[in-house]
Amino acid sequence: MAFWRHILTGSSRLSSSLSTNSNYAAGISNFSTKSSHYVVKVGIPEFLNGVGRGLENHVEKLEAEIGDFNKLLVTRTIKLKRLGIPCKDRKLILKYAHKYRLGLWRPRAEPVKS
C-alpha cells in the first residue's frame, strides 16, 4: 500500500513539473521557420537557378520541350536523357524535384553560389 501512496504523491510532483515545463514548450511552438527568402511563384527557370550547379544552361531546352513546371516535377529520367541532358544534371534535377514535391526544399529568391 505504501508503494501506491508513493506513486500517487509522486504524480502530483510530476504534474507540477510538467505544468512549469509546458509554459516553456508553448513558447517554442510559436516559433515559425517561414522565411521571406523563398520565391513565391516557382517555374522552370526559378527551379533550375535555385538548384544552381550549371543547371541554368538547360532552362531554354526544358521550357521548350516540357513547358510546365508541374510536368517537370513528374518527368522521368528517360525523357531528360532524350532531351540530351547529361547524367549528372539529370540526377540533380530529379533529386531536387523529389525534395520539392515532399516540401523539403524550395528555391531561394537569390541564386545559390556554387
Side-chain angles (χ1 to χ4, degrees):
M1 197 60 154
F3 175 73
W4 289 107
R5 270 189 244 143
H6 179 66
I7 289 176
L8 292 176
T9 59
S11 66
S12 65
R13 279 186 255 142
L14 179 63
S15 65
S16 66
S17 67
L18 287 177
S19 65
T20 58
N21 289 339
S22 65
N23 294 336
Y24 177 73
I28 291 175
S29 65
N30 293 332
F31 179 75
S32 175
T33 59
K34 193 168 188 174
S35 175
S36 62
H37 295 293
Y38 296 105
V39 176
V40 176
K41 183 193 176 299
V42 178
I44 293 176
E46 293 85 10
F47 178 77
L48 296 178
N49 287 333
V51 174
R53 301 181 187 171
L55 293 182
E56 305 88 10
N57 302 332
H58 305 297
V59 170
E60 296 84 17
K61 190 183 306 183
L62 290 174
E63 279 191 322
E65 293 295 324
I66 295 176
D68 187 28
F69 177 63
N70 291 325
K71 288 182 183 177
L72 178 66
L73 291 178
V74 294
T75 301
R76 299 198 174 200
T77 304
I78 194 71
K79 172 92 174 181
L80 296 174
K81 186 175 185 177
R82 288 182 184 147
L83 293 176
I85 297 175
C87 180
K88 188 175 182 181
D89 295 345
R90 289 194 306 264
K91 286 173 124 179
L92 283 172
I93 291 170
L94 295 173
K95 173 182 167 184
Y96 281 92
H98 183 67
K99 285 183 177 187
Y100 184 87
R101 282 193 311 266
L102 294 176
L104 299 175
W105 178 84
R106 301 243 337 153
R108 290 189 170 266
E110 62 276 351
V112 177
K113 309 250 185 214
S114 54

